[in-house]
Amino acid sequence: MPVTENGRGTDVHGLTEYLVSRRAALVSGVASTEGTLPHAIMLTGPPACGKTTLARQTTTLVLTKFDGEASALFPVVVRVQLLQNYLDKHPERFGQAWNWVEAYLLCELDTGTPEGLTEFRMLRQVLMQRRAVILFVGLDEGGEGRQSIERQIVEVVVPQGHVVLVTSRPAGLDRTKFPSELFMHTHMAPLSAEQQKEALVQRLGTADRAEELLDYVESVPKDTETGEQVTANPLMLSM
């Protein structure tokens, strides 16, 4: 479950609703009068804690729950590791583009077919109309280009008026580069005992079977860094 800077918990529905509401505020001009709520989210968390899964769920919610609304957005997923590869292979495209998301989409969809070109033009129009929620997934996987990618997000993409969600491991992340007036900072909280039980019930089918396994889970060593049960990490729990 994501937790905001002020300690308030939310979920993928809450984060998605926030992004949609910020787009509506930007379009209506309310954002200029409010002046305080950011329209970008920085989501951090340790490895295998569910960041990528949350990004996928956000994509699904944007396409389904808010489809057809006046404030409707279209998800554009940018895998940062792939973005770095494209930067190395096609620097001229990134030098000429309106922003690096446009260049990324051109690299992804330039398949030499009319269909690919049509899809690129459609998504470019979505970007120009500020109807995209842009998800930068895995900022920590930016390699040598990470600092340039960070600057592009903070100094170009967000100021252009796009709503943005960035996911990253906390290691190596300089939070001061993502000021609070532009980014709402959230982090993935470990699974509570109740959430672990709920996950086990879903996996095993019955509460009785989950209770049996919970006895073992409670005996599992704690993480030396967080002090939490190692099973508070979704991947470790599934294993």
Side-chain angles (χ1 to χ4, degrees):
M1 179 181 69
V3 177
T4 61
E5 280 185 308
N6 59 12
R8 295 180 61 182
T10 184
D11 58 13
V12 63
H13 293 270
L15 289 183
T16 305
E17 288 173 358
Y18 177 85
L19 290 171
V20 173
S21 71
R22 295 319 300 149
R23 193 269 171 174
L26 287 168
V27 170
S28 66
V30 174
S32 60
T33 58
E34 290 178 347
T36 54
L37 293 177
H39 53 272
I41 296 174
M42 169 60 74
L43 174 69
T44 57
C49 70
K51 299 184 298 298
T52 301
T53 298
L54 184 142
R56 290 172 181 158
Q57 292 173 337
T58 300
T59 298
T60 301
L61 282 174
V62 169
L63 285 172
T64 56
K65 184 176 180 180
F66 300 100
D67 183 41
E69 295 187 10
S71 57
L73 295 170
F74 191 89
V76 174
V77 179
V78 178
R79 291 177 290 169
V80 174
Q81 186 178 47
L82 192 54
L83 171 60
Q84 166 59 22
N85 291 338
Y86 288 148
L87 276 167
D88 290 338
K89 292 179 181 178
H90 306 287
E92 73 288 348
R93 290 183 175 179
F94 288 85
Q96 299 169 2
W98 175 52
N99 62 36
W100 285 6
V101 181
E102 177 191 10
Y104 175 89
L105 291 173
L106 180 59
C107 293
E108 279 276 89
L109 301 171
D110 185 16
T111 59
T113 65
E115 293 79 8
L117 185 58
T118 298
E119 188 174 356
F120 167 72
R121 288 173 174 169
M122 180 197 75
L123 289 176
R124 186 178 187 275
Q125 188 67 20
V126 167
L127 287 174
M128 296 292 289
Q129 294 175 349
R130 309 304 197 274
R131 292 194 299 110
V133 53
I134 304 172
L135 299 96
F136 290 92
V137 179
L139 183 62
D140 52 284
E141 299 175 357
E144 294 181 357
R146 174 170 175 168
Q147 292 188 356
S148 297
I149 294 170
E150 289 178 344
R151 286 196 299 271
Q152 172 70 197
I153 295 171
V154 176
E155 299 176 10
V156 179
V157 177
V158 173
Q160 282 180 344
H162 301 286
V163 291
V164 172
L165 172 66
V166 184
T167 72
S168 177
R169 297 180 184 181
L173 180 70
D174 184 354
R175 287 168 57 92
T176 63
K177 293 182 179 179
F178 301 88
S180 57
E181 61 266 23
L182 295 179
F183 288 84
M184 180 175 74
H185 287 264
T186 65
H187 69 274
M188 294 292 289
L191 296 176
S192 65
E194 187 61 32
Q195 288 171 326
Q196 292 180 53
K197 180 179 179 179
E198 182 180 348
L200 292 176
V201 171
Q202 291 176 352
R203 178 66 62 88
L204 300 176
T206 66
D208 291 341
R209 296 183 66 190
E211 287 289 352
E212 292 180 18
L213 188 54
L214 275 174
D215 291 338
Y216 168 75
V217 166
E218 291 174 358
S219 69
V220 171
K222 294 184 178 182
D223 186 292
T224 55
E225 292 185 6
T226 65
E228 301 283 348
Q229 298 288 135
V230 294
T231 50
N233 180 292
L235 178 61
M236 294 302 297
L237 181 63
S238 67
M239 294 173 63

